[in-house]
Amino acid sequence: MDKVELIERDFSIDEVCSALRTDGTGAIVTFLGVVRGAGERRVIRLEFEAYKEMAVSEMRKLREEAIRRFGLEDLVIIHRLGPLDAGESIVLIAAVGGHREECFDAARFTIDRLKELVPIWKKEVYEDGKEWVEVRH
Amino acid sequence: MRVRVLFFASIRERAGRGEMIVNLEDGATLGQLVEVVEREISAVQGLDDMMISINGRLADDDVLREGDEVAFLPPVSGG
């Protein structure tokens, strides 16, 4: 399993977590981002686009930074591309370590930084239109 | 020299294309590239205010080289 992936297909959290655990693992914290349908305007689906080469390279750098910073055993980042319907999975972060504290902190750090730095964009598709989401940090 | 320009998301739609090749004088800067692109595609303006990458890294050098890949990146919204 690649530890950083930008893919169209869905992933299995169970498979990812099974592949990650070692004799030293005491905790795995997972963050799963999901397409939210309900909101001010009902979202039917999201359409994701990326600058793939740069996005993968930024995700790799982010993974290495998080592992070093929080003393993790391992970290997986999987982000999906293409059209994703409401309710589908978008992104998985799995932080693996000896203890829960560093895993919680690392999972939050990683998803927050991913949202700020990695060149991936989403367009919200409503019943009566579409709109790019552009978040200014 | 030739530079490959990439557009993504909202700016790709405004530009009506995902990429273009721009011919520039040797030693040209990012600022000069922006001028050429904005002149050629009137729907695309304000590129100076965007995040820009050169060869997949956020641009910290102003001088362009033959074969560089320059991408204009709208504010990101992954996750």
Side-chain angles (χ1 to χ4, degrees):
Chain A
M1 179 183 62
D2 209 337
K3 302 295 172 67
V4 164
E5 288 193 300
L6 197 53
I7 51 172
E8 292 192 3
R9 66 178 187 280
D10 201 0
F11 45 76
S12 154
I13 299 176
D14 282 347
E15 281 174 21
V16 170
C17 290
S18 299
L20 287 174
R21 66 182 76 188
T22 70
D23 193 42
T25 302
I28 302 177
V29 168
T30 57
F31 169 81
L32 178 67
V34 174
V35 181
R36 183 180 55 245
E40 268 180 51
R41 297 176 79 180
R42 170 139 208 102
V43 172
I44 296 167
R45 68 173 181 275
L46 297 177
E47 293 174 357
F48 283 92
E49 169 176 333
Y51 181 7
K52 286 183 192 164
E53 299 84 357
M54 184 175 174
V56 168
S57 149
E58 291 294 317
M59 286 159 74
R60 289 212 173 102
K61 278 194 272 180
L62 177 54
R63 171 177 179 268
E64 282 159 22
E65 186 187 349
I67 289 174
R68 199 170 50 241
R69 186 169 174 148
F70 297 97
L72 297 181
E73 270 184 44
D74 211 339
L75 180 79
V76 163
I77 308 174
I78 302 174
H79 199 297
R80 294 178 66 197
L81 292 177
L84 299 175
D85 292 339
E88 283 198 77
S89 300
I90 303 167
V91 59
L92 175 68
I93 311 285
V96 188
H99 303 277
R100 66 186 181 283
E101 290 85 358
E102 63 261 32
C103 297
F104 275 115
D105 292 346
R108 173 152 205 152
F109 170 85
T110 305
I111 186 61
D112 287 352
R113 292 294 283 268
L114 180 146
K115 282 172 163 279
E116 285 174 18
L117 295 176
V118 179
I120 300 174
W121 299 271
K122 63 176 162 245
K123 182 188 255 186
E124 291 184 339
V125 180
Y126 318 108
E127 285 186 356
D128 57 350
K130 299 177 168 193
E131 203 171 310
W132 285 104
V133 181
E134 296 190 351
V135 185
R136 294 184 189 275
H137 295 279
Chain B
M1 66 175 177
R2 286 153 64 88
V3 171
R4 186 162 173 246
V5 175
L6 303 179
F7 302 109
F8 292 97
S10 59
I11 189 166
R12 174 179 54 73
E13 291 186 349
R14 281 210 301 280
R17 68 190 90 174
E19 63 174 275
M20 68 189 285
I21 300 291
V22 177
N23 287 298
L24 296 166
E25 303 261 320
D26 284 352
T29 63
L30 211 43
Q32 289 169 307
L33 173 67
V34 164
E35 279 177 28
V36 172
V37 173
E38 291 186 348
R39 203 163 50 230
E40 281 201 28
I41 312 179
S42 59
V44 166
Q45 301 297 319
L47 293 177
D48 265 340
D49 294 334
M50 304 189 74
M51 284 215 304
I52 301 174
S53 69
I54 302 177
N55 301 324
R57 306 176 71 97
L58 287 184
D60 51 8
D61 186 0
D62 208 31
V63 179
L64 296 170
R65 288 168 192 82
E66 165 70 26
D68 274 352
E69 181 177 278
V70 178
F72 293 98
L73 311 171
V76 302
S77 57

